[in-house]
Amino acid sequence: MTQRYLNLGRLLSGYFNQDWDFTWASDAEVILAFRRAEPSTQVDATIVEVEQLLKSSSDDPSAVDEILTSLGCEYNYNADGLTSISWLERMKYLLLSSEHDLPST
């Protein structure tokens, strides 16, 4: 499973690790930091993987929860009123948005 979502796993385990909230104030800041720091090819590949995960699991949020956990995600999106599906949609929006279209974090 982790090979299928290799780039998404890099975002989740590398940026949303157990200490992510010591560095950033919100999930949006983390996602934007990833977008700014990583090569555009990796960001684009991550977007494709998010889209694949949304498409393959959109009818089963618990399966998406399990996948995100298996990829090393330490962010509790439920605490922010999001489901795994809505958070992935938010992530995709933030990764795709141009800099001037982004909300303040």
Side-chain angles (χ1 to χ4, degrees):
M1 183 61 66
T2 56
Q3 289 300 317
R4 184 173 180 189
Y5 301 110
L6 183 62
N7 294 288
L8 179 57
R10 287 182 182 144
L11 167 58
L12 297 177
S13 65
Y15 285 77
F16 282 101
N17 59 46
Q18 68 274 9
D19 297 326
W20 75 268
D21 56 345
F22 293 125
T23 306
W24 296 286
S26 70
D27 67 311
E29 284 186 8
V30 178
I31 295 164
L32 297 177
F34 171 82
R35 195 181 87 180
R36 291 176 183 129
E38 300 302 328
S40 61
T41 55
Q42 184 173 346
V43 173
D44 292 343
T46 303
I47 293 166
V48 168
E49 291 174 8
V50 168
E51 290 171 338
Q52 289 171 345
L53 183 53
L54 283 168
K55 184 177 180 182
S56 68
S57 303
S58 63
D59 58 340
D60 189 1
S62 63
V64 177
D65 292 335
E66 290 176 19
I67 291 168
L68 296 177
T69 299
S70 75
L71 293 173
C73 182
E74 296 287 335
Y75 170 56
N76 182 1
Y77 37 83
N78 297 128
D80 287 332
L82 301 168
T83 66
S84 54
I85 303 295
S86 62
W87 185 54
L88 286 172
E89 289 168 346
R90 173 179 165 81
M91 181 187 298
K92 179 182 167 185
Y93 167 78
L94 291 168
L95 290 171
L96 285 169
S97 296
S98 65
E99 202 67 30
H100 68 279
D101 291 335
L102 294 172
S104 59
T105 55

